Amino acid sequence: MTYFKKNDMTAMTPQEYASEWSKSSEDHNNANDYAWISSNISESSSVLEIGCGNGNSTMSFLSRGCKVVCVEINDTLITMAEENITNAGYKVERIDITQISNIDLSSETDCYLIHASVFDSGVSLLALVFDYIMFSFFGAAPLHAANELEQEVENLDIDFAKQYREKATLRALELKIINGDQCKLCVVDRIQQLQGHSKFEIRNAYADDLSTRLAIPINQITVKTKVNTAMQKTTSSAMQYIHDGSMNSSRVTPLIALAII
């Protein structure tokens, strides 16, 4: 996986990351991936979305009548999301972490955008009870990951994205626990189905891995999958781990895994 520019291997800035992720997000949107993810939640639910990106995923929840609160650290992406969601006809309110007491899910506002890190302690203070916490395609922009991992960007090793995502996944689980048993955590990952293995086997293997990582019983996890056609094509995105065409192999099928906990 690479979040570094191909020409000189320097780390992408948050702005460059936002631009590249938006290209990938459009591919997921065109493949109806967000529509598939949102179809697995109840209509008119309350949703806490961790990382809204450019708003494509958020709009899939809004289209189902949900009230959505998004936490997004990337200033460029949250600005894109605000513009895209507003242009789609929804009422949006952008706030910072000090204004979370202003959130009212019974108001006419369809979507609140919080410019903050999911690790900010203030996120735990949301005086709301959500039906779902969505943790989908969580990204690892080098600067944000380095800050959270307490490293310098130039010292990040090859596993930094995995470490950052793992920490964020545990944070998502923590927020689910804060919200109580009625709240479901939905984790969306990219996985692979190797030739000779059924989707049933792949789903069970992923559930077992997630159970171990999160230290929760496997019978509390339901996994669904969808072919990740976005990874089977080459696009203009510089995020080569997503779009390098390497998944065009008869031995590997890229999948999107949705785990509901």
Side-chain angles (χ1 to χ4, degrees):
M1 296 183 180
T2 178
Y3 291 95
F4 295 85
K5 292 175 284 187
K6 291 183 291 184
N7 56 345
D8 59 5
M9 289 306 293
T10 56
M12 287 183 182
T13 66
Q15 295 77 18
E16 291 167 334
Y17 174 89
S19 176
E20 299 305 326
W21 169 245
S22 290
K23 298 172 188 176
S24 300
S25 179
E26 288 304 318
D27 287 329
H28 282 300
N29 204 36
N30 293 335
N32 295 316
D33 294 336
Y34 297 126
W36 173 73
I37 292 168
S38 65
S39 71
N40 287 280
I41 72 170
S42 302
E43 294 183 350
S44 304
S45 298
S46 57
V47 177
L48 174 61
E49 184 178 26
I50 299 174
C52 64
N54 64 359
N56 281 337
S57 56
T58 312
M59 288 186 283
S60 71
F61 304 127
L62 292 170
S63 70
R64 293 179 61 79
C66 296
K67 291 280 190 172
V68 187
V69 176
C70 306
V71 178
E72 174 60 61
I73 193 173
N74 189 300
D75 183 66
T76 302
L77 281 174
I78 201 171
T79 299
M80 290 179 181
E82 182 178 18
E83 180 178 349
N84 292 336
I85 298 170
T86 300
N87 289 343
Y90 297 104
K91 187 172 181 179
V92 182
E93 187 172 342
R94 178 171 172 175
I95 62 177
D96 62 41
I97 198 66
T98 66
Q99 300 170 300
I100 60 172
S101 61
N102 297 337
I103 296 177
D104 180 2
L105 295 184
S106 65
S107 72
E108 294 183 356
T109 300
D110 300 301
C111 175
Y112 290 89
L113 299 175
I114 305 174
H115 185 209
S117 165
V118 67
F119 300 103
D120 193 309
S121 60
V123 177
S124 302
L125 301 177
L126 279 166
L128 303 165
V129 176
F130 292 96
D131 297 313
Y132 295 91
I133 294 177
M134 303 301 304
F135 185 77
S136 307
F137 300 131
F138 189 77
L143 178 61
H144 300 142
N147 288 340
E148 189 57 40
L149 296 174
E150 299 181 345
Q151 298 181 28
E152 298 296 328
V153 172
E154 56 269 23
N155 294 332
L156 290 173
D157 62 26
I158 194 171
D159 291 325
F160 86 90
K162 180 179 178 180
Q163 295 166 6
Y164 181 56
R165 283 200 196 94
E166 193 69 7
K167 188 171 184 178
T169 307
L170 290 169
R171 173 61 168 157
L173 178 62
E174 178 185 11
L175 293 172
K176 178 229 177 322
I177 294 171
I178 290 172
N179 274 266
D181 292 340
Q182 84 294 328
C183 177
K184 297 186 182 298
L185 170 61
C186 299
V187 178
V188 180
D189 271 334
R190 304 174 188 88
I191 63 173
Q192 298 178 7
Q193 179 184 2
L194 300 179
Q195 187 178 42
H197 295 271
S198 69
K199 287 185 179 179
F200 177 79
E201 291 174 315
I202 297 300
R203 289 168 185 155
N204 280 350
Y206 177 70
D208 183 63
D209 176 66
L210 200 57
S211 171
T212 300
R213 287 160 47 202
L214 299 182
I216 57 176
I218 193 170
N219 61 7
Q220 293 184 11
I221 305 172
T222 300
V223 177
K224 301 182 179 182
T225 55
K226 177 185 185 294
V227 175
N228 190 350
T229 56
M231 281 189 80
Q232 293 177 309
K233 59 185 292 187
T234 302
T235 75
S236 59
S237 173
M239 289 184 171
Q240 294 302 302
Y241 78 101
I242 297 177
H243 297 298
D244 63 356
S246 63
M247 290 300 170
N248 296 324
S249 167
S250 60
R251 293 177 295 178
V252 177
T253 301
L255 301 176
I256 296 171
L258 168 63
I260 303 173
I261 303 168

